[in-house]
Amino acid sequence: MEKIKEILSDDFSEKIVSIRGWVYRIRSSGKITFIVMRDSSGIIQCVASSDNLGEEEMKELSSLTVESSLELSGRLYRESRAVTGYEMSIESYRIYERNENFPIAKDLGEEFLLDNRHLWLRSREFTAVLKIRSTIFKAFSDFFYNNNYFQVQAPMFVSTATEGGSSLFNVDYFGEKVNLTQSTQFYLETLIYSLEKVFTIAPSFRAEKSRTRRHLTEYWHAEVEVAWYNNDDMMADEEKMIKFIIDAVLKNNEEDLKTINRDINRLKNIKIPFERIKYRDLIEKSREFGMNLKYGDDLGADEEYGIMIHFDNPVFVTDYPESLKTFYHRPDPDHPGEILCHDLLAPEGYGEVVGGGERIYDLQELLKRIRDNNLNPEDYYWYVDLRKYGSIPHSGFGLGLDRLVMWICGLSNIRETIPYPRTIRRVKP
């Protein structure tokens, strides 16, 4: 049994091949039935003819409907008019399941397709996105393995907040109140004292009541922490990682990018190093784009879109005001009120995909920042301990993999990057 993509070659021309999969398209014309078959690797046109099959067999095949599952055997021919340049003449078959009426069709509403996501996932476009997504996840891990990082894991049930209590999902844990994790950062920081360079890929949960095109309540988070790194060191690894991932997609998923009509040249033209712009300078530059931003304003989805539609390459925005970043970010000793941090904004209006920077490693400075943010140091006792016993300079980042897929695929909504999106309005299927 062969995969469809494997037989689309002159090496199989005039030979008997066998495939199995699902009916993608079907039409009959007199004594001939054309069945476009699909499997995970691609599609091929197959022809049922009364020259090879009996009357009952022709009747059975011509009555098949979209997404019926079957196995076909026949001779392969080169055919320039066929969708992939090759055609199979069916000589035998086995039907596994014949559908009465597959519910997914063109021009159906967005909510209907979301409610029937378990079936809509079979579309060629969604299949292409999922293949690209798989490459992105693998390439992320490969890059860090290649650079002597260790992959680690952290708990999903946590007792401390990383990004603030307002966006926590509370869970009853045998009578004790705990939260679903917003980030594994704190746990990764504990591991740099033994492994020095660590990364993880795991789900994160944020109860943000956001309805933008780039927010999920459950999303896939790639996070890294590194001993002895400063902000510049971290950005250097990140930009090489982004370029490595894009190159992997271009190498392995060119046909998938074409299927979803992604402008491949936009990805081919991504160059490193990425431009670095200080937050205060970006605020000034935004006025050139007709935006009315002032120092201290947060950059949300709309602001980042208004800025990044003017860029063709990712941009690092650095040195944010202290008021815009959470307590663990290290203040810049040379520029009071600013943080040694960065956000990586994707071009074409996609905005933030990475947030990172240096972590506070001085005990008293960390305690002050915790209290300044009206938090209880006792809730973070184990995180504070790290600054008591062998504390070191270190940096890290968090990458929203779904947002990265959204940009690389050129999609309009983050819901289209993940098989089963969880948003403020959706928890099914």
Side-chain angles (χ1 to χ4, degrees), residues 231-241 276 316:
N231 196 40
D232 289 329
D233 296 328
M234 200 72 266
M235 288 189 287
D237 272 11
E238 288 170 36
E239 63 191 0
K240 286 183 282 190
M241 172 266 296
R276 281 110 165 108
F316 281 114

Side-chain angles (χ1 to χ4, degrees), residues 177-191:
K177 178 182 173 183
V178 298
N179 311 303
L180 292 177
T181 185
Q182 301 165 310
S183 166
T184 61
Q185 177 196 320
F186 289 176
Y187 292 96
L188 297 190
E189 287 188 59
T190 69
L191 289 159

Side-chain angles (χ1 to χ4, degrees), residues 315-332:
V315 173
F316 281 114
V317 182
T318 68
D319 303 270
Y320 279 78
E322 190 173 303
S323 60
L324 295 181
K325 293 297 178 180
T326 43
F327 72 89
Y328 53 77
H329 286 283
R330 185 181 175 218
D332 187 342

